Amino acid sequence: MMASRERLYAIGADYRKAISGYDKIVKICCGTGCISSGALTVYDELQRVLSKRGLSSKQILVKKTGCHGLCERGPIVVFGDDEILYQNVGKRNIERDIAALLATINEDKIEDELLYKGDDKTKRYMSSFDIPFYSGQTRIVLSLNGVIDPENIEEYVGYGGYKSLHKALQMNPMEIVDLIEKSGLRGRGGGGFLTGFKWRSCRQAQGLPKYVVANGDEGDPGAFMDRSLMEGNPHGILEGMIIGGFAIGSNHGFIYVRDEYPLAVYRLSKAIDEARHHGFLGRSIMNSGFDFDISIFRGGGAFVCGESTALISSIEGKSGEPRAKYIHTTEKGLWGKPTNINNVETWSNVPYIIDRGWEWFQSIGSDRSKGTKVFSLVGKVKNTGLIEVPMGVSLREIIFNLGGGIQGDKKFKAVQTGGPSGGCIPEEFLEIPVDFDSLTKLGSMMGSGGMIVMDERNCMVDVARYFLKFLIEESCGKCTPCREGVRRMHEIVDRICRGDGSMGDIEHLEELGKAIQLSSLCGLGQSAPNPVLSTIKFFREEYRTHVQEKKCPAGVCKNLITVSILPERCTGCMRCAVECPVDCISSEKKEIHGIDQSLCTKCGTCFDVCRFGAVKIS
Amino acid sequence: MIEFKINGRHTRANDGETILDVARREGFVIPTLCHHEILGSDGRCRLCMVEVKKRKRKRIIASCLYMAESGIEVSTETPEIQLIRRTVLELFLARNPASEVIRYFAREYGVIDTRYTRDNDKGKCILCNSCVKTCETVVGVTAISLSGKGPHKKVTTPFDGPSNVCIGCGACMAVCPTGHIYMEDRNGIRTIWNRRFELTKCPRCGRYHAPLAQLEFIAQKSGTALDRLTVCQDCR
Ligand SMILES: Cc1cc2nc3c(=O)[nH]c(=O)nc-3n(C[C@H](O)[C@H](O)[C@H](O)COP(=O)(O)O)c2cc1C
Ligand code: SF4
Ligand code: SF4
Ligand code: SF4
Ligand code: SF4
Ligand code: FES
Ligand code: FES
């Protein structure tokens, strides 16, 4: 079926007409996070009771949406146009919560228990517009996440989807490339390469056919930005790719999705089928004469397969080893043909730029980083989740306003940005604007948008050790500095953590790190020393204390600490003794407690549970 | 004709020549471990790194892969390049302490010892991939490959077992720069890659000369009769 402009409008109009027939819309988040905390049960139960005649006299549309961002508090249920947001629905008592949902539907009765609670535990927020986590955000690529049903193309069209594609198809391809370039859009996959520039070199490259690829590999542990986009608004990615294909002169696109993302694969496949059915994909898209189709490639899920040349090898059916990029993939990519790879979030921005113009996009963000960036904010912040903010907001704003500050009101120590090979940024730089260049200048990077907040109970040497461990496992092993060097950095850092550090280790790490950065073949090795080099740069003293004084100031490195109880503070409440996993705390009620040092594993549980500050780690 | 400079000296290159090709031809010394004259290189060892200045921009690149370009200035001995060489050699010294080739290179570039714990389970292999390429592209069977990742990467047969496509030709062993690959001919049996091959006796001189599997492979590929091939080269 060929879609013309009339047909596009007809789908939109039909959708809006259908929607206006409902008295209420209930959106249940069915992203991976909420599904794992029981969202599908909530959905099924609510549908079941609503289908019983008489339980509601109203016309209700219950729909499954993509991720809302506050996954930690899922399942999330939202009414209407975000007027009411319920959290943790069905987590404790499913029947009671379903009854509460019914009461809200039928009588507009608000269930306080299910509302979002603020820091002080007394204030409750009704609408997501008021919750600081949301009100501090600027949502562009996430604007339809949590709003539309990703498995229903009519909803996407009803909210203006595929309008930009229609508009783009009336333009000259070179005009589109110009427009993307002028918008200042830079790649969201990590490097921050100017997207329009990449499109231009691919358009101008010799050789046919040309390919466009969406990189949805997302190997960073704990990151779920790209997954949420693929699950929550797959058509947005498709639309961006089709426009890109038209601009570049390509007729075929691939979406590379890691195998661990089955829901993303399912929703993308469904979106592709529906788009084909409506004539947005396939032959002569919207009667324009332009042919374009997209296939999904399921990747094995190695971190390095996200690297563009390894990704190409992987699609070609070879082993996922990167190759030197002295010839760009825009000239020789998939099967030696010009190939334009962009991250999923980068593609998602494209329809919005076409729709609202480059001037609009350019007006958002900072000097050399335009638009917004999606981050996954995790670690020791109160509100962990998925956020989208304009480039250039400060780290402080993200961590203390949106993130709500540090858990347990401990002291902020550092924030790690850029995924496993990013860097740690200390408090003195909290005011810096979050954009590509500022982060790079600090020895960290934007990466794909992971942000891990750390407090005083995080040891920076231990943190560096953790990331090195990950990178050793993920190195493909092709080139010497990365394969051998990273494990040797780990060897040294591990020794320091175990109390066997020696003078010169820090300088040795700096030297080895520099050599690895300079000589590794791909971005993984080139950035692998970052966690170590950035922690040495900002927390050198902490390294020195480990090496020279054999002490771990944060109280984490087990060989370097002792845990003891301060008799003057201990109230004998027994809390620590109950929680101690190895039962090494002698306990009599109301008596001062003691720790059997020969048994203590230094896990720090007692420290964390004592309400009187009586446990000392030194 | 491409004209550029190496360490300040004017040089010329043909299309498709790498910096390493040109430098070697012109008598500059750039150490390499994973490069092979015929098989080329995949840029694995990183010993051949040099600095390339193109207009204002400086980059460190693998000379075995980077094509010569007009107007660039190549430096092969900057402090950074020396740091890279020393680091790579020190790392190899720890990985392959038994390798004479590594010890030779290390000595040559002033790396006396390694500060890292020595591996004793990795043999002499420097993961240059030459054996794999030879088997695949020269011999025409794919009996071995690089498998595993990170520090566990190694060259091996499928599942480390006896490969059922290997013909026992020994070309992989011949090309290996470090002598890592073990091959032995004894009592009419060749042992390589965990597999034993029956050697063919030349009907004229009575000498064992090649594995039967190899002769069968050649017979099939070339259409030569097997009984012609069983006669050794000297007697033919
Ligand atoms: C080790 C490594 C892993 C990477 N992983 C990803 C990834 O998971 N997703 C992604 O989009 N880009 C990843 N990249 C960046 C890609 O190589 C590439 O630059 C990017 O997909 C280009 O898209 P962009 O210009 O839109 O950012 C990775 C790079 C490296 C070096
Ligand atoms: S830098 Fe690491 S991941 Fe990249 S090619 Fe070298 S070994 Fe492989
Ligand atoms: S929790 Fe604290 S106060 Fe209570 S018994 Fe343990 S050390 Fe004493
Ligand atoms: S001996 Fe076996 S593995 Fe080696 S090149 Fe010959 S066929 Fe390949
Ligand atoms: S066995 Fe020899 S030829 Fe094969 S990869 Fe190792 S060093 Fe290279
Ligand atoms: S999956 Fe529901 S809020 Fe993220
Ligand atoms: S010779 Fe160039 S990387 Fe090994």
Side-chain angles (χ1 to χ4, degrees):
Chain A
M1 208 185 305
M2 297 292 168
S4 60
R5 174 175 163 177
E6 288 67 36
R7 180 160 168 75
L8 185 65
Y9 286 133
I11 301 171
D14 283 353
Y15 169 78
R16 280 184 293 273
K17 191 159 160 244
I19 270 303
S20 64
Y22 289 102
D23 297 318
K24 265 214 164 67
I25 298 174
V26 186
K27 295 175 283 191
I28 301 185
C29 176
C30 289
T32 294
C34 285
I35 286 180
S36 67
S37 43
L40 291 178
T41 318
V42 175
Y43 177 83
D44 292 341
E45 272 300 292
L46 188 63
Q47 288 287 36
R48 195 177 62 80
V49 296
L50 284 175
S51 68
K52 280 197 205 154
R53 262 201 307 181
L55 275 177
S56 175
S57 54
K58 303 194 172 165
Q59 277 295 322
I60 312 298
L61 172 65
V62 184
K63 65 182 181 188
K64 297 179 183 173
T65 71
C67 177
H68 287 249
L70 265 182
C71 313
E72 216 213 330
R73 304 197 191 222
I76 304 269
V77 177
V78 176
F79 287 84
D81 287 330
D82 293 357
E83 288 100 18
I84 305 167
L85 181 140
Y86 283 159
Q87 47 152 21
N88 290 326
V89 180
K91 236 186 196 161
R92 263 150 282 175
N93 186 335
I94 178 93
E95 278 133 53
R96 194 194 60 198
D97 288 355
I98 294 291
L101 293 181
L102 270 181
T104 310
I105 290 168
N106 288 330
E107 307 148 39
D108 291 323
K109 195 166 162 285
I110 306 292
E111 176 56 55
D112 267 4
E113 270 303 297
L114 293 175
L115 290 177
Y116 178 93
K117 293 181 218 29
D119 282 351
D120 55 4
K121 306 273 183 234
T122 52
K123 181 160 167 55
R124 287 177 191 274
Y125 297 83
M126 180 127 94
S127 152
S128 61
F129 295 122
D130 304 327
I131 303 172
F133 177 79
Y134 285 107
S135 60
Q137 297 190 37
T138 302
R139 292 185 151 215
I140 297 173
V141 296
L142 286 181
S143 60
L144 294 182
N145 252 52
V147 174
I148 58 166
D149 174 354
E151 293 179 26
N152 182 352
I153 192 171
E154 276 138 39
E155 293 226 337
Y156 182 66
V157 175
Y159 277 91
Y162 290 113
K163 208 167 71 187
S164 298
L165 173 60
H166 185 264
K167 184 170 167 186
L169 291 173
Q170 322 300 312
M171 292 165 72
N172 178 319
M174 226 38 213
E175 233 181 293
I176 302 174
V177 174
D178 284 342
L179 187 145
I180 295 296
E181 194 165 283
K182 276 192 280 192
S183 75
L185 175 66
R186 292 170 71 173
R188 302 313 197 223
F193 200 75
L194 203 60
T195 305
F197 190 81
K198 197 192 276 184
W199 287 21
R200 184 183 307 280
S201 43
C202 194
R203 165 144 201 109
Q204 288 168 348
Q206 297 295 315
L208 284 172
K210 293 180 181 179
Y211 298 99
V212 297
V213 178
N215 188 344
D217 188 56
E218 193 163 62
D220 301 21
F224 53 102
M225 296 78 56
D226 294 345
R227 187 188 71 197
S228 299
L229 280 169
M230 292 186 280
E231 287 176 3
N233 187 11
H235 286 288
I237 300 164
L238 302 188
E239 189 176 358
M241 289 176 76
I242 307 166
I243 295 171
F246 179 68
I248 288 160
S250 158
N251 303 99
H252 203 90
F254 287 93
I255 307 181
Y256 190 96
V257 193
R258 60 174 38 224
D259 229 15
E260 285 93 341
Y261 286 177
L263 187 61
V265 171
Y266 174 75
R267 290 192 179 153
L268 282 165
S269 315
K270 180 137 197 205
I272 289 173
D273 287 346
E274 289 194 315
R276 252 185 225 139
H277 175 78
H278 286 282
F280 302 136
L281 268 179
R283 300 201 69 90
S284 189
I285 289 172
M286 296 171 113
N287 295 328
S288 65
F290 169 61
D291 303 337
F292 190 78
D293 216 332
I294 295 178
S295 8
I296 295 178
F297 188 92
R298 301 176 70 159
F303 178 63
V304 75
C305 286
E307 197 278 340
S308 51
T309 59
L311 185 146
I312 283 172
S313 290
S314 173
I315 296 183
E316 289 175 350
K318 303 187 202 126
S319 76
E321 276 187 346
R323 57 168 179 72
K325 271 199 257 188
Y326 304 141
I327 299 171
H328 294 293
T329 53
T330 47
E331 283 163 41
K332 278 195 162 57
L334 270 171
W335 300 288
K337 302 296 180 189
T339 301
N340 186 93
I341 303 181
N342 278 124
N343 168 263
V344 157
E345 186 185 333
T346 314
W347 289 118
S348 300
N349 271 293
V350 170
Y352 293 98
I353 299 173
I354 300 290
D355 183 31
R356 298 185 209 171
W358 64 268
E359 297 91 341
W360 161 80
F361 192 80
Q362 237 236 8
S363 71
I364 305 164
S366 70
D367 202 18
R368 293 188 53 229
S369 302
K370 299 302 177 190
T372 57
K373 177 79 193 90
V374 181
F375 289 100
S376 80
L377 183 63
V378 295
K380 306 279 182 64
V381 276
K382 286 181 183 147
N383 302 323
T384 61
L386 191 71
I387 55 167
E388 182 175 354
V389 290
M391 298 261 194
V393 301
S394 68
L395 283 166
R396 185 183 297 284
E397 168 77 15
I398 293 178
I399 296 163
F400 287 89
N401 191 18
L402 280 72
I406 310 299
Q407 286 169 14
D409 291 315
K410 288 209 172 70
K411 214 169 115 38
F412 169 86
K413 183 163 181 180
V415 56
Q416 207 271 354
T417 73
S421 39
C424 293
I425 299 170
E427 177 153 30
E428 56 187 298
F429 296 106
L430 276 183
E431 303 307 335
I432 67 138
V434 178
D435 59 32
F436 290 107
D437 310 309
S438 311
L439 292 176
T440 311
K441 227 179 276 164
L442 287 176
S444 185
M445 55 189 203
M446 180 73 85
S448 55
M451 211 175 253
I452 307 173
V453 178
M454 301 181 213
D455 68 12
E456 51 193 309
R457 283 278 281 142
N458 285 104
C459 164
M460 289 298 140
V461 191
D462 180 61
V463 164
R465 178 169 67 164
Y466 169 84
F467 286 115
L468 286 173
K469 183 87 191 154
F470 175 86
L471 291 162
I472 296 171
E473 299 300 322
E474 295 304 323
S475 160
C476 81
K478 178 173 180 174
C479 70
T480 321
C482 171
R483 179 187 69 237
E484 303 299 326
V486 179
R487 77 188 247 246
R488 301 307 182 173
M489 288 189 94
H490 180 267
E491 197 174 291
I492 302 170
V493 170
D494 187 51
R495 212 168 55 218
I496 296 177
C497 288
R498 283 190 283 106
D500 296 328
S502 44
M503 298 288 274
D505 276 352
I506 304 174
E507 292 72 20
H508 184 184
L509 281 171
E510 287 175 317
E511 175 198 301
L512 177 55
K514 183 175 174 205
I516 296 171
Q517 282 180 330
L518 289 173
S519 60
S520 288
L521 193 156
C522 84
L524 192 151
Q526 286 157 10
S527 56
N530 286 3
V532 178
L533 297 181
S534 74
T535 46
I536 293 182
K537 181 167 170 192
F538 296 123
F539 299 92
R540 198 178 189 98
E541 193 51 31
E542 195 164 341
Y543 274 84
R544 207 194 52 76
T545 312
H546 279 75
V547 173
Q548 289 179 12
E549 293 166 34
K550 311 287 180 214
K551 284 202 171 117
C552 175
V556 174
C557 299
K558 295 202 162 99
N559 285 0
L560 305 183
I561 55 173
T562 47
V563 184
S564 55
I565 292 177
L566 297 169
E568 65 276 16
R569 290 216 184 149
C570 179
T571 62
C573 72
M574 289 183 64
R575 213 178 139 94
C576 57
V578 172
E579 299 280 340
C580 174
V582 293
D583 282 335
C584 71
I585 304 183
S586 59
S587 60
E588 285 299 331
K589 217 172 180 160
K590 300 265 164 67
E591 306 247 313
I592 292 167
H593 286 39
I595 294 178
D596 182 346
Q597 295 295 342
S598 65
L599 293 178
C600 175
T601 59
K602 298 160 186 181
C603 65
T605 305
C606 49
F607 177 87
D608 292 329
V609 300
C610 179
R611 294 203 191 103
F612 304 95
V615 179
K616 193 176 129 203
I617 295 181
S618 56
Chain B
M1 184 58 85
I2 299 159
E3 290 185 31
F4 69 107
K5 280 186 195 168
I6 302 179
N7 294 345
R9 202 167 90 200
H10 281 282
T11 46
R12 287 159 180 265
N14 305 314
D15 258 347
E17 271 190 304
T18 63
I19 291 181
L20 182 68
D21 293 335
V22 184
R24 292 225 158 135
R25 185 155 44 68
E26 297 287 322
F28 292 99
V29 181
I30 296 176
T32 59
L33 274 174
C34 72
H35 177 79
H36 184 280
E37 255 173 61
I38 290 151
L39 302 167
S41 175
D42 317 333
R44 292 173 187 268
C45 75
R46 320 306 282 172
L47 198 61
C48 72
M49 304 299 282
V50 298
E51 184 188 284
V52 164
K53 201 169 142 205
K54 195 170 164 181
R55 276 170 243 119
K56 286 257 155 60
R57 201 166 150 237
K58 276 188 195 168
R59 272 174 90 186
I60 289 180
I61 53 93
S63 64
C64 64
L65 292 178
Y66 198 96
M67 297 298 163
E69 257 178 77
S70 279
I72 56 173
E73 288 175 40
V74 177
S75 316
T76 65
E77 300 293 334
T78 69
E80 286 177 337
I81 298 303
Q82 288 168 350
L83 169 71
I84 292 169
R85 274 182 207 154
R86 273 188 279 109
T87 305
V88 166
L89 289 168
E90 188 181 346
L91 291 167
F92 268 130
L93 215 46
R95 182 180 169 109
N96 317 103
S99 164
E100 300 79 5
V101 173
I102 293 294
R103 288 210 297 263
Y104 168 79
F105 267 97
R107 216 177 312 118
E108 201 74 349
Y109 288 92
V111 179
I112 297 147
D113 201 0
T114 178
R115 287 166 284 182
Y116 313 111
T117 326
R118 288 179 169 76
D119 291 333
N120 44 31
D121 58 342
K122 306 255 189 311
K124 299 178 180 177
C125 179
I126 53 166
L127 296 160
C128 68
N129 204 35
S130 296
C131 53
V132 176
K133 272 199 234 166
T134 300
C135 184
E136 193 178 321
T137 62
V138 180
V139 181
V141 302
T142 307
I144 48 176
S145 63
L146 290 178
S147 80
K149 58 180 192 170
H152 313 294
K153 202 171 198 110
K154 62 177 178 183
V155 41
T156 181
T157 51
F159 309 105
D160 294 341
S163 154
N164 48 22
V165 295
C166 177
I167 56 169
C169 68
C172 50
M173 191 230 27
V175 81
C176 175
T178 62
H180 173 76
I181 299 170
Y182 169 81
M183 182 170 98
E184 185 193 68
D185 288 354
R186 192 197 293 183
N187 303 334
I189 299 290
R190 170 172 293 182
T191 312
I192 187 168
W193 294 115
N194 303 321
R195 198 176 143 188
R196 293 155 64 80
F197 292 89
E198 191 190 321
L199 289 172
T200 314
K201 213 176 218 171
C202 171
R204 302 213 185 132
C205 66
R207 188 170 65 92
Y208 287 117
H209 64 110
L212 182 60
Q214 181 185 354
L215 298 180
E216 282 168 352
F217 178 81
I218 297 173
Q220 204 204 4
K221 262 234 155 134
S222 63
T224 319
L226 184 61
D227 50 7
R228 272 202 60 202
L229 294 170
T230 50
V231 180
C232 83
Q233 294 222 309
D234 297 342
C235 298
R236 236 176 264 162

